[in-house]
Amino acid sequence: IYMHVPVIEPYNSPNHRLLDADKFIEIVNKYENPIGVFQGHYHAAKITQKGNIVYISCPSLVTYPNAFRIVTVTNYWNKTVFKIEFKETRLKNVQKMAKLLMFSPSFFTGEEDDRNAVITVKR
């Protein structure tokens, strides 16, 4: 599932919350198959797993951290594997300038587990 405003926020921001996020969660929780939810809006890297659902917040390419994700989803008969990679721009001068405009750059890059991860969801 791809959506702009995240269901699970990478950080608390009351003015940007998805309306009726609880209803969305209630609906997807009814399914037993692995589900990937790709979300943006906050420009932050964060990965959260809740049961069979993996919520992947994506960074911004046009503002710091000037990065994107490569996600490989592999289905097996008994599991689904999400390989999530964080890729920074090669334009280091642009990234350096964008970083200067941020109040807390590390906030948007997240922890290492929020940038790169391999998550296995059993069926």
Side-chain angles (χ1 to χ4, degrees):
I1 299 172
Y2 295 88
M3 48 198 314
H4 182 79
V5 178
V7 177
I8 304 293
E9 296 176 299
Y11 56 86
N12 189 20
S13 181
N15 295 332
H16 291 94
R17 288 197 175 135
L18 178 66
L19 298 177
D20 297 328
D22 55 334
K23 291 179 184 175
F24 176 92
I25 292 168
E26 182 181 323
I27 291 168
V28 296
N29 280 343
K30 292 178 182 179
Y31 296 90
E32 295 179 11
N33 287 335
I35 298 173
V37 179
F38 302 88
Q39 45 196 25
H41 192 61
Y42 285 63
H43 297 194
K46 181 77 172 171
I47 301 169
T48 305
Q49 181 180 0
K50 294 193 180 257
N52 63 313
I53 304 168
V54 181
Y55 296 91
I56 304 165
S57 292
C58 299
S60 172
L61 189 56
V62 298
T63 61
Y64 192 81
N66 306 92
F68 59 95
R69 297 234 192 241
I70 296 176
V71 180
T72 305
V73 180
T74 307
N75 286 306
Y76 299 95
W77 71 274
N78 63 342
K79 64 185 175 183
T80 297
V81 178
F82 295 86
K83 180 182 177 192
I84 305 158
E85 299 174 84
F86 180 92
K87 299 289 187 181
E88 293 182 345
T89 180
R90 286 183 255 162
L91 302 173
K92 294 303 176 188
N93 59 332
V94 171
Q95 187 181 44
K96 183 178 178 180
M97 293 301 294
K99 188 175 184 178
L100 292 173
L101 299 173
M102 301 305 297
F103 63 89
S104 179
S106 62
F107 201 66
F108 293 92
T109 57
E111 302 293 327
E112 178 57 31
D113 290 349
D114 292 317
R115 291 188 292 275
N116 299 292
V118 176
I119 297 175
T120 301
V121 179
K122 295 185 180 185
R123 294 177 179 247

